[in-house]
Amino acid sequence: MTVLDYRLSQLDQLEAESIHIFRESAAEFERPVLMFSGGKDSIVMLRLAEKAFHPAKIPFPVLQVDTGRDFPEVLSTRDNWVNRLGVKLVIASVDDAIRDGIVVEDGKTSRNRMQIATLLHAIEDNGFTAAFGGGRRDEEKARAKERVYSHRDEFGQWDPKNQRPELWNLYNGRLHQGEHMRVFPISNWTELDIWDYIGREGIEIPSIYCSHQRRVFERDGMLLSESEWNTLREGETVTERTVRFRTVGDITLTGCVESGASTVDEIITEVATARVTERGATRGDDRFSEAAMEDRKKEGYF
Amino acid sequence: MPDNTTGRRHMDLLRFATAGSVDDGKSTLIGRLLYDSKAIFEDQLDAVERTSEAKGHGYVDLSLLTDGLRSEREQGITIDVAYRYFATPNRKFIIADTPGHVQYTRNMVTGASTADLGLILVDARHGLTEQSRRHAVLLSLLRVPHFVLAINKMDLVDYSEDVYRTILEEFTTFATKLDVPDLEIIPISALQGDNVVDRSVNMDWYKGPTLMHHLEHVHVASDRDYRDVRFPVQYVIRPKSDQHHDYRGYGGTVAGGVLKPGDEIVVLPSGMTTTIEAIDLFGQELDAAYPPMSVTVRLKDDVDVSRGDMIARIHNAPVPKQDIDAMICWMSTTPLQPRQKLAIKHTTRSARALVKDIQYRLDVNTLHRDPDATTLGLNEIGRIHLRTTTPLLADVYAQNRTTGSFILIDEATGITVGAGMINN
């Protein structure tokens, strides 16, 4: 008898679990859509979806909420992925939403916050019943409580106190008219797992994750990019530094970190020894209050 | 399966659920495990320090790290299961951190349903409480294969070996009534760090492993069933492209046994037999597939297979059945009643179920069975009979946690109201 080793590495187990979730949702929801920002988490999600249905095409479209303030490198990576896989891309644009009166530009609300209504409108408009999100429970403590199948009512709201119990790998996808489900296939992945997987799969990511020269200025302890949308305040000066991004979002709020890590292997080493979370280091939008993420999620944010 | 990754390889995964009463020091212990394995980041710690100070605490309240929701922080209690992550060089850990408070049975069942190991914390000063016994009963009912009883706050009982021995004996006596396949009892002080990551200098009488050492080395690879092939068909993959014109694959997650190309199999419920042609994973043909791999199986003959069907070995297949005898944990404020109709989800198959009768309600404190029970309330556990509209391709839960479990859904609200484990 041959002795077989039936151990599966943790990365393979995570991959298997995510594929299971993708297949389950595709089978049970009428109109799923994959939220795709072009960032590292959504790229890993797209690869997992690709694996789940191979050699068939991914049986749902991808949806990007375009803040109008996105990094050009991220948008071009998005386009490469979408073209290679031949999936349909739906763009929900904050600029369009402002024009159509869905959200109001008051000069104070961040583009990140305006994404909420823009996204909910796009979900409703297209009749999507499930939206795959790249949220990971290690990111933030409100996310640590999020289910894999996260129910949203007809207003797109999350009720953290009234979540459906989630047992074994039996996901409950029941919906009423007008409701939709957020589905988080990479809930159990950590930032390091994402990088390990990107390295192992050798997949394309936006170049700004790797170290590069950038003109930046410092605000509230974060390094922000010089851009046409960021007006310098008194005392702020632009300098050129060697940086990379740990998360990508709205250019006006997403900070970068000084880093010489220019390859995925070097990034893995850096992430493995990082002492600050990716959000703490680089996300202005989570700093507003202790419950910033939770409050936005209740409204409909991912 | 070959893992061609660079860097840190063959890390495996351990999922564990924590249990314990409110003041047993669970948050402190989790905080310490995360802190000592460098899974807590400076900005998280800063935030906790700021909040502790603002609240007027004279210490850094590590429970603030784990209580993530606004209402939890307001009330100072944990409401819901939270999942946390840390890793050592050989293993990644997923903690299902279940609350010790209200609604605790259903949360405990939720957390334990996927756990390889259950960690019960007791306060050395108080010994076993009703709560610790209940936790042990639930872990046993859920068939969590490994138990750890961590006797905490040993610093408050002068690191006394007698105290440890007394609790150990009390627990092992109690555990004889349960199904506890593997038990480790470790005296610790989460606050002082004794026997958590580092061996305690205060308890030289204790010769066993530290908690972290045990979590890192407990053998979980053989906990799954590798004999009885169970492959619930999840999704039929039929690319309608020129390149893959005739491709027809069955996507699913292996729930039991080892599948290999060339194996003779039966498809249930049709009973058609054929052979496995190939097992695919993203363009790669695999030599074998085993739990918990997600793969695509191709069959030699063009038999009719759809979602909800099950692939098994010809002489080792589940018998389709519509009469189900199961233990139920009820999770709704509206009680379970005989004659009630519910939706049921078992593996990839959905059906409707009728509650035929309630056999008994189980008292999880005393293990007493009350045969006079006519309903099951929130957080209660009982044995019931169900009749389903379509046959389930089910096994006994004791044999397979995946093919032996199901959920019950209220058809009006869409909410998951019950967790079931099949008896026979």
Side-chain angles (χ1 to χ4, degrees), chain A residues 19 23 51-55, chain B residues 231 235-237 247-252 276 278-282 284 286 289 294-298:
Chain A
I19 290 174
R23 286 171 170 170
K51 284 199 181 189
F53 305 102
H54 186 89
Chain B
F231 186 75
Y235 196 91
V236 180
I237 294 167
Y247 190 97
R248 182 198 278 264
Y250 305 102
I276 294 177
I279 301 165
D280 296 336
L281 178 64
F282 198 48
Q284 195 187 347
L286 306 178
S294 279
V295 295
T296 304
V297 171
R298 279 183 285 136

mmCIF file of all heavy atoms in Angstrom, chain A residues 19 23 51-55, chain B residues 231 235-237 247-252 276 278-282 284 286 289 294-298:
data_model
loop_
_atom_site.group_PDB
_atom_site.id
_atom_site.type_symbol
_atom_site.label_atom_id
_atom_site.label_comp_id
_atom_site.label_asym_id
_atom_site.label_seq_id
_atom_site.Cartn_x
_atom_site.Cartn_y
_atom_site.Cartn_z
ATOM 1 N N ILE A 19 -13.037 28.628 -3.077
ATOM 2 C CA ILE A 19 -13.648 28.055 -4.287
ATOM 3 C C ILE A 19 -15.029 27.497 -3.955
ATOM 4 O O ILE A 19 -16.000 27.700 -4.684
ATOM 5 C CB ILE A 19 -12.728 26.963 -4.897
ATOM 6 C CG1 ILE A 19 -11.482 27.618 -5.506
ATOM 7 C CG2 ILE A 19 -13.479 26.122 -5.936
ATOM 8 C CD1 ILE A 19 -10.442 26.629 -6.010
ATOM 9 N N ARG A 23 -18.547 28.724 -5.727
ATOM 10 C CA ARG A 23 -19.436 27.794 -6.436
ATOM 11 C C ARG A 23 -20.828 27.771 -5.804
ATOM 12 O O ARG A 23 -21.838 27.720 -6.496
ATOM 13 C CB ARG A 23 -18.838 26.380 -6.423
ATOM 14 C CG ARG A 23 -17.656 26.243 -7.369
ATOM 15 C CD ARG A 23 -16.964 24.909 -7.164
ATOM 16 N NE ARG A 23 -15.982 24.638 -8.207
ATOM 17 C CZ ARG A 23 -15.107 23.636 -8.143
ATOM 18 N NH1 ARG A 23 -15.097 22.828 -7.108
ATOM 19 N NH2 ARG A 23 -14.258 23.451 -9.124
ATOM 20 N N LYS A 51 -10.469 29.923 -10.948
ATOM 21 C CA LYS A 51 -10.210 28.506 -10.649
ATOM 22 C C LYS A 51 -11.496 27.734 -10.396
ATOM 23 O O LYS A 51 -11.611 26.564 -10.768
ATOM 24 C CB LYS A 51 -9.318 28.387 -9.400
ATOM 25 C CG LYS A 51 -7.873 28.713 -9.651
ATOM 26 C CD LYS A 51 -6.981 28.144 -8.561
ATOM 27 C CE LYS A 51 -5.539 28.534 -8.860
ATOM 28 N NZ LYS A 51 -4.573 27.849 -7.989
ATOM 29 N N ALA A 52 -12.457 28.390 -9.733
ATOM 30 C CA ALA A 52 -13.684 27.690 -9.338
ATOM 31 C C ALA A 52 -14.474 27.182 -10.537
ATOM 32 O O ALA A 52 -15.131 26.156 -10.450
ATOM 33 C CB ALA A 52 -14.553 28.613 -8.479
ATOM 34 N N PHE A 53 -14.402 27.914 -11.668
ATOM 35 C CA PHE A 53 -15.244 27.553 -12.806
ATOM 36 C C PHE A 53 -14.461 27.068 -14.026
ATOM 37 O O PHE A 53 -15.040 26.756 -15.051
ATOM 38 C CB PHE A 53 -16.160 28.733 -13.161
ATOM 39 C CG PHE A 53 -16.971 29.182 -11.986
ATOM 40 C CD1 PHE A 53 -16.617 30.310 -11.263
ATOM 41 C CD2 PHE A 53 -18.061 28.425 -11.560
ATOM 42 C CE1 PHE A 53 -17.347 30.697 -10.144
ATOM 43 C CE2 PHE A 53 -18.789 28.808 -10.436
ATOM 44 C CZ PHE A 53 -18.427 29.954 -9.739
ATOM 45 N N HIS A 54 -13.151 26.996 -13.900
ATOM 46 C CA HIS A 54 -12.292 26.580 -14.991
ATOM 47 C C HIS A 54 -12.712 25.209 -15.526
ATOM 48 O O HIS A 54 -13.016 24.341 -14.732
ATOM 49 C CB HIS A 54 -10.849 26.534 -14.482
ATOM 50 C CG HIS A 54 -9.856 26.252 -15.550
ATOM 51 N ND1 HIS A 54 -9.264 27.240 -16.305
ATOM 52 C CD2 HIS A 54 -9.364 25.079 -16.009
ATOM 53 C CE1 HIS A 54 -8.449 26.678 -17.182
ATOM 54 N NE2 HIS A 54 -8.493 25.375 -17.021
ATOM 55 N N PRO A 55 -12.696 24.915 -16.800
ATOM 56 C CA PRO A 55 -12.286 25.792 -17.903
ATOM 57 C C PRO A 55 -13.416 26.670 -18.443
ATOM 58 O O PRO A 55 -13.230 27.298 -19.482
ATOM 59 C CB PRO A 55 -11.839 24.797 -18.965
ATOM 60 C CG PRO A 55 -12.685 23.590 -18.718
ATOM 61 C CD PRO A 55 -12.949 23.549 -17.245
ATOM 62 N N PHE B 231 -18.607 12.839 -2.221
ATOM 63 C CA PHE B 231 -18.370 14.033 -3.024
ATOM 64 C C PHE B 231 -19.714 14.645 -3.422
ATOM 65 O O PHE B 231 -20.311 14.260 -4.424
ATOM 66 C CB PHE B 231 -17.532 13.674 -4.259
ATOM 67 C CG PHE B 231 -17.103 14.865 -5.078
ATOM 68 C CD1 PHE B 231 -16.084 15.707 -4.639
ATOM 69 C CD2 PHE B 231 -17.706 15.156 -6.302
ATOM 70 C CE1 PHE B 231 -15.677 16.806 -5.396
ATOM 71 C CE2 PHE B 231 -17.304 16.254 -7.070
ATOM 72 C CZ PHE B 231 -16.282 17.083 -6.612
ATOM 73 N N TYR B 235 -21.662 22.064 -8.406
ATOM 74 C CA TYR B 235 -21.820 22.936 -9.570
ATOM 75 C C TYR B 235 -21.383 22.173 -10.812
ATOM 76 O O TYR B 235 -20.329 21.563 -10.827
ATOM 77 C CB TYR B 235 -20.916 24.165 -9.384
ATOM 78 C CG TYR B 235 -21.247 25.320 -10.290
ATOM 79 C CD1 TYR B 235 -22.150 26.303 -9.875
ATOM 80 C CD2 TYR B 235 -20.669 25.435 -11.555
ATOM 81 C CE1 TYR B 235 -22.460 27.370 -10.704
ATOM 82 C CE2 TYR B 235 -20.985 26.501 -12.384
ATOM 83 C CZ TYR B 235 -21.870 27.467 -11.956
ATOM 84 O OH TYR B 235 -22.190 28.522 -12.754
ATOM 85 N N VAL B 236 -22.224 22.177 -11.832
ATOM 86 C CA VAL B 236 -21.866 21.486 -13.072
ATOM 87 C C VAL B 236 -21.131 22.462 -13.984
ATOM 88 O O VAL B 236 -21.650 23.542 -14.283
ATOM 89 C CB VAL B 236 -23.120 20.924 -13.774
ATOM 90 C CG1 VAL B 236 -22.730 20.205 -15.065
ATOM 91 C CG2 VAL B 236 -23.863 19.967 -12.845
ATOM 92 N N ILE B 237 -19.926 22.087 -14.374
ATOM 93 C CA ILE B 237 -19.113 22.987 -15.197
ATOM 94 C C ILE B 237 -19.144 22.530 -16.656
ATOM 95 O O ILE B 237 -18.643 21.461 -16.998
ATOM 96 C CB ILE B 237 -17.673 23.066 -14.642
ATOM 97 C CG1 ILE B 237 -17.718 23.750 -13.268
ATOM 98 C CG2 ILE B 237 -16.759 23.846 -15.591
ATOM 99 C CD1 ILE B 237 -16.461 23.627 -12.466
ATOM 100 N N TYR B 247 -16.438 19.324 -22.740
ATOM 101 C CA TYR B 247 -16.077 19.252 -21.323
ATOM 102 C C TYR B 247 -17.321 19.266 -20.453
ATOM 103 O O TYR B 247 -18.203 20.096 -20.601
ATOM 104 C CB TYR B 247 -15.179 20.438 -20.955
ATOM 105 C CG TYR B 247 -14.557 20.338 -19.583
ATOM 106 C CD1 TYR B 247 -13.264 19.847 -19.417
ATOM 107 C CD2 TYR B 247 -15.262 20.742 -18.447
ATOM 108 C CE1 TYR B 247 -12.686 19.775 -18.153
ATOM 109 C CE2 TYR B 247 -14.704 20.658 -17.186
ATOM 110 C CZ TYR B 247 -13.412 20.175 -17.037
ATOM 111 O OH TYR B 247 -12.837 20.093 -15.792
ATOM 112 N N ARG B 248 -17.386 18.320 -19.527
ATOM 113 C CA ARG B 248 -18.453 18.306 -18.529
ATOM 114 C C ARG B 248 -17.819 17.860 -17.215
ATOM 115 O O ARG B 248 -17.383 16.715 -17.084
ATOM 116 C CB ARG B 248 -19.560 17.335 -18.944
ATOM 117 C CG ARG B 248 -20.742 17.293 -17.969
ATOM 118 C CD ARG B 248 -21.554 16.043 -18.202
ATOM 119 N NE ARG B 248 -22.478 16.211 -19.311
ATOM 120 C CZ ARG B 248 -23.758 16.572 -19.131
ATOM 121 N NH1 ARG B 248 -24.215 16.805 -17.936
ATOM 122 N NH2 ARG B 248 -24.554 16.691 -20.159
ATOM 123 N N GLY B 249 -17.725 18.784 -16.276
ATOM 124 C CA GLY B 249 -17.078 18.471 -14.998
ATOM 125 C C GLY B 249 -18.019 18.777 -13.849
ATOM 126 O O GLY B 249 -18.932 19.595 -13.978
ATOM 127 N N TYR B 250 -17.778 18.097 -12.738
ATOM 128 C CA TYR B 250 -18.617 18.305 -11.560
ATOM 129 C C TYR B 250 -17.780 18.920 -10.460
ATOM 130 O O TYR B 250 -16.880 18.286 -9.924
ATOM 131 C CB TYR B 250 -19.260 16.984 -11.128
ATOM 132 C CG TYR B 250 -20.023 16.379 -12.293
ATOM 133 C CD1 TYR B 250 -19.500 15.322 -13.036
ATOM 134 C CD2 TYR B 250 -21.237 16.952 -12.700
ATOM 135 C CE1 TYR B 250 -20.162 14.831 -14.145
ATOM 136 C CE2 TYR B 250 -21.908 16.463 -13.813
ATOM 137 C CZ TYR B 250 -21.373 15.412 -14.532
ATOM 138 O OH TYR B 250 -22.023 14.934 -15.639
ATOM 139 N N GLY B 251 -18.090 20.180 -10.158
ATOM 140 C CA GLY B 251 -17.332 20.891 -9.132
ATOM 141 C C GLY B 251 -17.887 20.559 -7.761
ATOM 142 O O GLY B 251 -19.100 20.424 -7.593
ATOM 143 N N GLY B 252 -16.984 20.433 -6.792
ATOM 144 C CA GLY B 252 -17.434 20.169 -5.428
ATOM 145 C C GLY B 252 -16.262 20.112 -4.472
ATOM 146 O O GLY B 252 -15.105 20.173 -4.881
ATOM 147 N N ILE B 276 -14.225 7.303 -12.539
ATOM 148 C CA ILE B 276 -13.659 8.653 -12.561
ATOM 149 C C ILE B 276 -12.623 8.731 -13.690
ATOM 150 O O ILE B 276 -11.664 7.955 -13.718
ATOM 151 C CB ILE B 276 -13.010 9.028 -11.211
ATOM 152 C CG1 ILE B 276 -14.086 9.122 -10.123
ATOM 153 C CG2 ILE B 276 -12.248 10.360 -11.316
ATOM 154 C CD1 ILE B 276 -13.551 9.425 -8.740
ATOM 155 N N ALA B 278 -11.031 11.788 -14.672
ATOM 156 C CA ALA B 278 -9.950 12.683 -14.251
ATOM 157 C C ALA B 278 -10.436 13.591 -13.146
ATOM 158 O O ALA B 278 -11.640 13.784 -12.963
ATOM 159 C CB ALA B 278 -9.475 13.526 -15.435
ATOM 160 N N ILE B 279 -9.468 14.122 -12.389
ATOM 161 C CA ILE B 279 -9.786 15.112 -11.354
ATOM 162 C C ILE B 279 -8.993 16.372 -11.700
ATOM 163 O O ILE B 279 -7.760 16.334 -11.776
ATOM 164 C CB ILE B 279 -9.403 14.593 -9.951
ATOM 165 C CG1 ILE B 279 -10.162 13.295 -9.642
ATOM 166 C CG2 ILE B 279 -9.686 15.647 -8.893
ATOM 167 C CD1 ILE B 279 -9.603 12.519 -8.472
ATOM 168 N N ASP B 280 -9.724 17.450 -11.947
ATOM 169 C CA ASP B 280 -9.077 18.684 -12.408
ATOM 170 C C ASP B 280 -9.045 19.759 -11.328
ATOM 171 O O ASP B 280 -9.979 19.896 -10.554
ATOM 172 C CB ASP B 280 -9.854 19.271 -13.605
ATOM 173 C CG ASP B 280 -9.824 18.356 -14.818
ATOM 174 O OD1 ASP B 280 -8.889 17.536 -14.911
ATOM 175 O OD2 ASP B 280 -10.737 18.463 -15.660
ATOM 176 N N LEU B 281 -7.963 20.511 -11.329
ATOM 177 C CA LEU B 281 -7.913 21.739 -10.541
ATOM 178 C C LEU B 281 -7.190 22.776 -11.384
ATOM 179 O O LEU B 281 -5.974 22.726 -11.549
ATOM 180 C CB LEU B 281 -7.182 21.531 -9.198
ATOM 181 C CG LEU B 281 -7.057 22.784 -8.332
ATOM 182 C CD1 LEU B 281 -8.420 23.293 -7.879
ATOM 183 C CD2 LEU B 281 -6.182 22.535 -7.114
ATOM 184 N N PHE B 282 -7.935 23.644 -11.977
ATOM 185 C CA PHE B 282 -7.397 24.754 -12.749
ATOM 186 C C PHE B 282 -6.405 24.287 -13.819
ATOM 187 O O PHE B 282 -5.266 24.726 -13.883
ATOM 188 C CB PHE B 282 -6.723 25.746 -11.797
ATOM 189 C CG PHE B 282 -6.516 27.104 -12.389
ATOM 190 C CD1 PHE B 282 -7.543 27.764 -13.047
ATOM 191 C CD2 PHE B 282 -5.282 27.743 -12.282
ATOM 192 C CE1 PHE B 282 -7.353 29.027 -13.586
ATOM 193 C CE2 PHE B 282 -5.081 29.006 -12.815
ATOM 194 C CZ PHE B 282 -6.128 29.647 -13.476
ATOM 195 N N GLN B 284 -4.925 21.502 -14.112
ATOM 196 C CA GLN B 284 -3.960 20.499 -13.676
ATOM 197 C C GLN B 284 -4.732 19.220 -13.348
ATOM 198 O O GLN B 284 -5.776 19.278 -12.704
ATOM 199 C CB GLN B 284 -3.290 21.044 -12.410
ATOM 200 C CG GLN B 284 -2.029 20.342 -11.999
ATOM 201 C CD GLN B 284 -1.553 20.858 -10.626
ATOM 202 O OE1 GLN B 284 -2.022 21.873 -10.114
ATOM 203 N NE2 GLN B 284 -0.641 20.123 -10.043
ATOM 204 N N LEU B 286 -5.071 15.960 -11.217
ATOM 205 C CA LEU B 286 -4.544 15.506 -9.931
ATOM 206 C C LEU B 286 -4.557 13.982 -9.822
ATOM 207 O O LEU B 286 -5.396 13.319 -10.422
ATOM 208 C CB LEU B 286 -5.390 16.080 -8.785
ATOM 209 C CG LEU B 286 -5.580 17.602 -8.746
ATOM 210 C CD1 LEU B 286 -6.485 17.984 -7.579
ATOM 211 C CD2 LEU B 286 -4.237 18.315 -8.619
ATOM 212 N N ALA B 289 -7.773 13.285 -4.802
ATOM 213 C CA ALA B 289 -8.428 14.412 -4.121
ATOM 214 C C ALA B 289 -8.985 13.908 -2.807
ATOM 215 O O ALA B 289 -9.528 12.802 -2.730
ATOM 216 C CB ALA B 289 -9.545 14.978 -4.987
ATOM 217 N N SER B 294 -11.248 21.373 -2.987
ATOM 218 C CA SER B 294 -12.313 21.730 -3.937
ATOM 219 C C SER B 294 -11.784 21.436 -5.336
ATOM 220 O O SER B 294 -10.806 22.043 -5.770
ATOM 221 C CB SER B 294 -12.646 23.216 -3.835
ATOM 222 O OG SER B 294 -13.491 23.458 -2.756
ATOM 223 N N VAL B 295 -12.409 20.489 -6.026
ATOM 224 C CA VAL B 295 -11.896 20.040 -7.324
ATOM 225 C C VAL B 295 -13.039 19.910 -8.321
ATOM 226 O O VAL B 295 -14.195 20.176 -8.001
ATOM 227 C CB VAL B 295 -11.181 18.666 -7.178
ATOM 228 C CG1 VAL B 295 -9.937 18.784 -6.299
ATOM 229 C CG2 VAL B 295 -12.139 17.617 -6.626
ATOM 230 N N THR B 296 -12.683 19.499 -9.522
ATOM 231 C CA THR B 296 -13.689 19.219 -10.534
ATOM 232 C C THR B 296 -13.471 17.793 -11.023
ATOM 233 O O THR B 296 -12.368 17.441 -11.445
ATOM 234 C CB THR B 296 -13.560 20.211 -11.708
ATOM 235 O OG1 THR B 296 -13.649 21.538 -11.175
ATOM 236 C CG2 THR B 296 -14.662 20.012 -12.726
ATOM 237 N N VAL B 297 -14.509 16.980 -10.922
ATOM 238 C CA VAL B 297 -14.396 15.566 -11.281
ATOM 239 C C VAL B 297 -15.036 15.342 -12.652
ATOM 240 O O VAL B 297 -16.127 15.840 -12.918
ATOM 241 C CB VAL B 297 -15.102 14.699 -10.205
ATOM 242 C CG1 VAL B 297 -15.207 13.252 -10.646
ATOM 243 C CG2 VAL B 297 -14.346 14.804 -8.878
ATOM 244 N N ARG B 298 -14.314 14.626 -13.498
ATOM 245 C CA ARG B 298 -14.905 14.220 -14.783
ATOM 246 C C ARG B 298 -15.168 12.720 -14.753
ATOM 247 O O ARG B 298 -14.363 11.970 -14.194
ATOM 248 C CB ARG B 298 -13.954 14.562 -15.935
ATOM 249 C CG ARG B 298 -14.059 16.030 -16.353
ATOM 250 C CD ARG B 298 -13.184 16.344 -17.540
ATOM 251 N NE ARG B 298 -11.776 16.440 -17.202
ATOM 252 C CZ ARG B 298 -10.792 15.905 -17.915
ATOM 253 N NH1 ARG B 298 -11.069 15.174 -18.998
ATOM 254 N NH2 ARG B 298 -9.529 16.064 -17.559
#
